[in-house]
Amino acid sequence: MTLVIPAKDAAVAVSERVRVMIVDDAIVVRGLFARWVEAEPDMEVVASLRSGRDAVAQLERTQPDVVVLDIDMPDMDGIEALPLLLAKRSDLVVIMASTLTRRNAEISLKALSLGATDYIPKPSSTREVSGSQEFHRDLIEKVRQLGLRAKRKPRGYVGSPPLVPAHPAKSALKPAAKSPSMAPLALRPMPLLPPQVLLIGASTGGPQALNLVMAQIGGVIDHVPVLITQHMPPTFTAILAEHLARVTERPVREAVDGEDIHAGTVYIAPGGKHMSVARRNGRPVIAIGDGAPVNFCKPAVDPLFMSAAQVWGQRALALVLTGMGSDGLAGGQALVAAGASVLAQDEASSVVWGMPGQVATAGLCSAVLPLTAIAPKLTRIFAGDGA
């Protein structure tokens, strides 16, 4: 059935609120999610439904900005409903919700390839769902960030600010392009020497972005190690490693504490653990830790970037892909202070321009690029041509 909600305080205009459809066969979970959403002044629930079939039927009438779609439901499950929803509204934001099993991790990542915007892993029981502050925070923040981006983009979305070099040669000085809403971004020089390692940090939208970039940089992987921190829970990172191994046709695996780091291999931070690097007998090695979350994340990007600044110094290159929050900013600052270089995905091609936007607007980047331009740029940089 559809849940009808009374009007809210007018402090946030109705047209500005994120409209949310909740689809889950468990009535307790639907009610819980609805209360969380309705407690936010900038959100409202427009439908609370028990099956994917109901969601497809009610989509045009309720006009949600975001659909939180359970995977396991009777009649029509989430993976069946997803393409039908997107066929009706190609710009619809769909967040897949599933418990932490290998099957659901595989389905969630498949859903991303079919057009879902993001996923959120649910605790395994209703009691755990209701008692998890972390899950509550993550769900609301995903709905807010993705919903607001969806509402704002059609209104004349202008993409990322114009770019100007931070320290250009005198002969290259040009007037900075002007933007009516944003200041120009300052760019740092490109690395003079080919880097010895590629570090990647990503969050929301990261699996899709990683698939595209990694499929095109086989030559880079052959010559240097690639270390990736993607915000993901346990099980999901193992599935991500398998997916990336298929698209790269190179060894990709969850990193193991103490193992040597070699060119030709891609190392992924295991879900629920932090990955950093260290030196042992003069060689770089993986260090896996079980410390507290950093920037509310575990794994977090900052521990990898900060430790890499000490191990590789100016011979490191970091890439910050789409994601919410500011994880990677402190690590990017440490890398730049050590003489290393940072690239970021641009706003127009990011699902959320939080993480890449933080490093870009802080003046840490040597380039801020559309997703499709990142792999060619990396190939040139690692070949010794940073231009």
Side-chain angles (χ1 to χ4, degrees), residues 273-333:
K273 306 282 187 181
H274 292 307
M275 178 174 71
S276 58
V277 294
R279 281 204 176 272
R280 183 180 61 196
N281 299 324
R283 302 191 309 274
V285 297
I286 295 288
I288 302 297
D290 197 19
V294 177
N295 303 312
F296 301 105
C297 304
K298 189 177 177 182
V301 176
D302 277 341
L304 173 61
F305 283 10
M306 288 178 168
S307 59
Q310 298 178 346
V311 170
W312 284 286
Q314 66 177 336
R315 301 302 295 274
L317 177 70
L319 168 64
V320 183
L321 295 173
T322 173
M324 291 190 297
S326 61
D327 190 26
L329 174 59
Q333 290 168 333

Side-chain angles (χ1 to χ4, degrees), residues 23 25 73 84 93 101 105 112 137 145 154 158 162 187 196-197 201 247 275 279 306 336 346 351 365 369:
V23 190
D25 63 310
M73 294 180 290
L84 300 179
V93 172
T101 64
L112 295 180
R137 182 190 65 244
Q145 294 290 333
V158 297
L187 294 180
Q196 296 176 338
V197 64
V247 301
M275 178 174 71
R279 281 204 176 272
M306 288 178 168
V336 168
D346 76 352
V351 174
C365 294
L369 301 167

Side-chain angles (χ1 to χ4, degrees), residues 34 50-51 77 100 134 160 205 217 243 273 279 302 315 321-322 329 342 359 364 367 385:
R50 68 174 297 275
S51 80
D77 64 22
L100 278 173
E134 180 181 359
S160 53
I217 61 167
H243 282 213
K273 306 282 187 181
R279 281 204 176 272
D302 277 341
R315 301 302 295 274
L321 295 173
T322 173
L329 174 59
V342 178
V359 296
L364 301 177
D385 177 14

Side-chain angles (χ1 to χ4, degrees), residues 6-332:
K8 287 192 173 190
D9 190 312
V12 178
V14 171
S15 62
E16 295 177 358
R17 294 178 193 147
V18 176
R19 297 168 59 84
V20 184
M21 173 185 282
I22 298 165
V23 190
D24 196 300
D25 63 310
I27 189 170
V28 175
V29 173
R30 292 202 306 275
L32 185 66
F33 287 4
R35 288 195 298 275
W36 290 350
V37 169
E38 284 295 320
E40 303 298 321
D42 55 348
M43 301 180 191
E44 62 179 325
V45 175
V46 296
S48 178
L49 309 168
R50 68 174 297 275
S51 80
R53 193 175 303 280
D54 293 338
V56 174
Q58 295 287 339
L59 183 69
E60 292 173 337
R61 186 183 70 81
T62 57
Q63 289 296 306
D65 300 307
V66 178
V67 176
V68 181
L69 184 63
D70 188 28
I71 286 179
D72 293 313
M73 294 180 290
D75 189 20
M76 179 183 287
D77 64 22
I79 202 70
E80 292 176 289
L82 175 64
L84 300 179
L85 292 169
L86 294 176
K88 289 191 170 189
R89 282 263 311 278
S90 61
D91 63 340
L92 184 65
V93 172
V94 181
I95 302 174
M96 306 301 296
S98 68
T99 52
L100 278 173
T101 64
R102 180 180 175 87
R103 171 183 172 273
N104 283 344
E106 290 175 336
I107 292 174
S108 295
L109 292 184
K110 178 182 179 183
L112 295 180
S113 70
L114 295 175
T117 309
D118 202 6
Y119 63 90
I120 186 163
K122 290 193 302 186
S124 57
S125 70
T126 302
R127 181 176 179 179
E128 289 175 314
V129 170
S130 61
S132 173
Q133 293 184 351
E134 180 181 359
F135 175 73
H136 180 173
R137 182 190 65 244
D138 287 351
L139 176 64
I140 292 301
E141 195 59 23
K142 284 178 186 285
V143 169
R144 172 175 289 116
Q145 294 290 333
L146 297 174
L148 288 175
R149 185 182 191 276
K151 292 181 78 68
R152 291 169 180 168
K153 189 172 181 179
R155 299 179 188 171
Y157 185 75
V158 297
S160 53
L163 309 178
V164 296
H167 305 289
K170 290 184 179 180
S171 61
L173 284 173
K174 296 180 181 178
K178 300 294 183 182
S179 166
S181 59
M182 303 181 221
L185 294 175
L187 294 180
R188 306 183 66 83
M190 283 290 176
L192 297 176
L193 298 173
Q196 296 176 338
V197 64
L198 174 60
L199 315 162
I200 303 177
S203 183
T204 307
Q208 304 97 307
L210 284 167
N211 270 331
L212 192 149
V213 172
M214 297 296 290
Q216 301 177 59
I217 61 167
V220 173
I221 299 169
D222 290 339
H223 290 93
V224 301
V226 178
L227 285 74
I228 300 172
T229 293
Q230 162 72 49
H231 294 167
M232 269 186 167
T235 306
F236 278 68
T237 46
I239 304 300
L240 177 64
E242 293 173 7
H243 282 213
L244 293 182
R246 286 195 289 272
V247 301
T248 63
E249 298 181 341
R250 306 299 194 280
V252 183
R253 62 172 181 267
E254 288 185 307
V256 176
D257 186 53
E259 71 173 316
D260 288 341
I261 298 171
H262 296 292
T265 301
V266 179
Y267 304 86
I268 295 181
K273 306 282 187 181
H274 292 307
M275 178 174 71
S276 58
V277 294
R279 281 204 176 272
R280 183 180 61 196
N281 299 324
R283 302 191 309 274
V285 297
I286 295 288
I288 302 297
D290 197 19
V294 177
N295 303 312
F296 301 105
C297 304
K298 189 177 177 182
V301 176
D302 277 341
L304 173 61
F305 283 10
M306 288 178 168
S307 59
Q310 298 178 346
V311 170
W312 284 286
Q314 66 177 336
R315 301 302 295 274
L317 177 70
L319 168 64
V320 183
L321 295 173
T322 173
M324 291 190 297
S326 61
D327 190 26
L329 174 59

